[in-house]
């Protein structure tokens, strides 16, 4: 069988945005190596890809462990040949007020989101060079662009993902490797947003200037597909925000559900700080 022209590794592929990316790439006829730390959820995705008659391999790996990252890319190359697309979707969030964050929590959020993204990029470069170049898409977040209460390590980690993206884009340009980040806003049907109840979800949806139905994993995945495709010859080192215009809208109570009493924003009616 001829190898597909695009041979992609997707981390954090078993759920949410990563899963939508895997489905979409496979539907395009791309070869996909799907990876996740959750073996059971990855098995479910494998059944789906099997049904799709995709050319794929599934590899269980924790991106926070560099040895497992190296094993992932060795297995990916064995399965598909040289890899020319990497999508770093593996990520985790912690919702805790700034004063309660423990060292262990800080380290885990940084290890999964930042260290995992960095060492996956490092591991893919040799195979991508052999392929003649490629595209790396890192999942950032609007939390890396604006401050969000009760998410200190997550905001720091996602800002770091943007920084890594800019740096790698410059250093890897000579190898014909383009590096971009995608920063989703609130995205429904993911584990990360599953804990919100209907009232909170309605409050969130109501704040989205573009409307209430463009916040699904597929909406993010379509952007990832575009950025990983050959249609983006000149885009590198930038972050594409997919948030229905939320972060540009300056809504004072845009994300009201997470604000704790100690962290009330300015009282905008009186113009005084009530804290
Ligand atoms: N859902 C949102 O609203 C939202 C918003 C902004 C950014 N993001 C980012 O998008 C990416 C995908 O998130 P999602 O919403 O699909 O979340 P999700 O929780 O539904 O899926 C994340 C996947 O990553 C896997 N994963 C977690 N830790 C891992 C590790 N150490 N090694 C390998 N796999 C690991 C999980 O098992 C899961 O399958 C993340 O980087 C997240 O930070 C999500």
């Amino acid at each position: 069988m001829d190898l597909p022209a695009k041979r992609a590794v997707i981390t954090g592929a078993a759920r949410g945005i990563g899963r939508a990316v895997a489905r979409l790439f496979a539907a395009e006829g791309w070869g996909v190596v799907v990876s996740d730390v959750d073996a059971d959820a990855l098995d479910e995705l494998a059944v789906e890809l099997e049904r799709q008659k995709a050319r794929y391999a599934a590899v269980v790996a924790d991106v926070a462990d560099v040895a497992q990252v190296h094993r992932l890319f060795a297995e990916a190359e064995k399965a598909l040949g040289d890899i020319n697309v990497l999508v770093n979707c593996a990520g985790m969030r912690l919702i805790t007020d700034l004063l309660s964050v423990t060292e262990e929590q800080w380290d885990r959020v940084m290890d999964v989101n930042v260290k995992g993204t960095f060492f996956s990029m490092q591991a893919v470069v040799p195979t991508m060079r052999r392929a003649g170049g490629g595209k790396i898409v890192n999942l950032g977040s609007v939390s890396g662009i604006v401050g969000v209460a009760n998410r200190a390590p997550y905001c720091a980690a996602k800002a770091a993902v943007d920084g890594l993206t800019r740096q790698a884009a410059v250093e890897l340009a000579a190898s014909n490797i383009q590096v971009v980040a995608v920063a989703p806003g609130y995205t429904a049907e993911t584990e990360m947003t599953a804990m919100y109840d209907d009232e909170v979800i309605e409050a969130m949806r109501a704040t989205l200037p573009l409307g209430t139905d463009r916040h699904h994993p597929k909406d993010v995945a379509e952007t990832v597909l575009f950025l990983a495709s050959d249609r983006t010859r000149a885009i590198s080192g930038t972050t594409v925000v997919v948030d229905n215009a939320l972060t540009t809208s300056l809504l004072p109570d845009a994300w009201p559900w997470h604000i704790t009493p100690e962290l009330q924003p300015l009282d905008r009616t009186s113009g005084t700080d009530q804290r």
Side-chain angles (χ1 to χ4, degrees), residues 20-268:
V21 170
R23 277 186 190 134
L24 211 51
F25 282 10
E28 290 291 309
W30 295 13
V32 287
V33 174
V34 290
S35 182
D36 204 283
V37 72
D38 185 332
D40 292 340
L42 197 59
D43 279 347
E44 284 173 32
L45 173 60
V47 170
E48 197 182 317
L49 291 172
E50 199 72 52
R51 236 184 279 125
Q52 237 179 308
K53 296 197 182 345
R55 187 177 177 98
Y56 81 97
V59 181
V60 177
D62 179 346
V63 295
D65 179 335
V66 179
Q68 293 190 41
V69 170
H70 284 294
R71 180 177 48 77
L72 160 62
F73 285 90
E75 289 187 26
E77 225 181 300
K78 217 187 292 165
L80 290 185
D82 285 325
I83 299 301
N84 52 16
V85 172
L86 166 63
V87 183
N88 280 311
C89 268
M92 67 165 287
R93 190 189 53 196
L94 170 79
I95 301 185
T96 302
D97 71 277
L98 184 152
L99 292 181
S100 307
V101 176
T102 65
E103 185 179 0
E104 197 187 342
Q105 289 172 327
W106 172 271
D107 286 346
R108 186 65 188 160
V109 174
M110 289 296 158
D111 282 356
V112 174
N113 293 290
V114 186
K115 189 172 146 189
T117 296
F118 176 73
F119 283 100
S120 297
M121 288 202 290
Q122 192 190 62
V124 86
V125 168
T127 182
M128 244 178 211
R129 280 185 174 148
R130 285 192 292 274
K135 315 265 186 161
I136 300 175
V137 183
N138 296 324
L139 266 291
S141 170
V142 293
S143 298
I145 299 167
V146 297
V148 186
N150 301 326
R151 287 157 173 78
Y154 187 67
C155 286
K158 290 304 188 180
V161 167
D162 286 350
L164 289 177
T165 300
R166 288 189 288 269
Q167 193 283 333
V170 173
E171 190 164 332
L172 300 178
S175 303
N176 190 32
I177 296 174
Q178 291 161 254
V179 190
V180 291
V182 168
Y186 162 63
T187 309
E189 299 139 25
T190 61
E191 284 287 297
M192 277 198 196
T193 52
M195 86 278 281
Y196 300 134
D197 62 28
D198 290 349
E199 203 180 321
V200 169
I201 286 174
E202 253 339 285
M204 284 192 275
R205 284 158 55 107
T207 63
L208 300 177
L210 257 186
T212 58
D213 198 35
R214 305 183 194 190
H215 56 345
H216 301 282
K218 188 159 188 292
D219 294 305
V220 181
E222 293 279 5
T223 305
V224 173
L225 173 67
F226 170 67
L227 291 168
S229 75
D230 293 332
R231 289 171 180 254
T232 54
R233 280 163 33 95
I235 301 177
S236 198
T238 195
T239 298
V240 177
V241 181
V242 185
D243 74 342
N244 290 279
L246 179 67
T247 48
T248 53
S249 63
L250 290 176
L251 296 172
D253 294 322
W255 291 7
W257 61 92
H258 63 267
I259 295 175
T260 62
E262 316 85 77
L263 295 170
Q264 289 296 343
L266 291 178
D267 176 349
R268 285 165 204 279

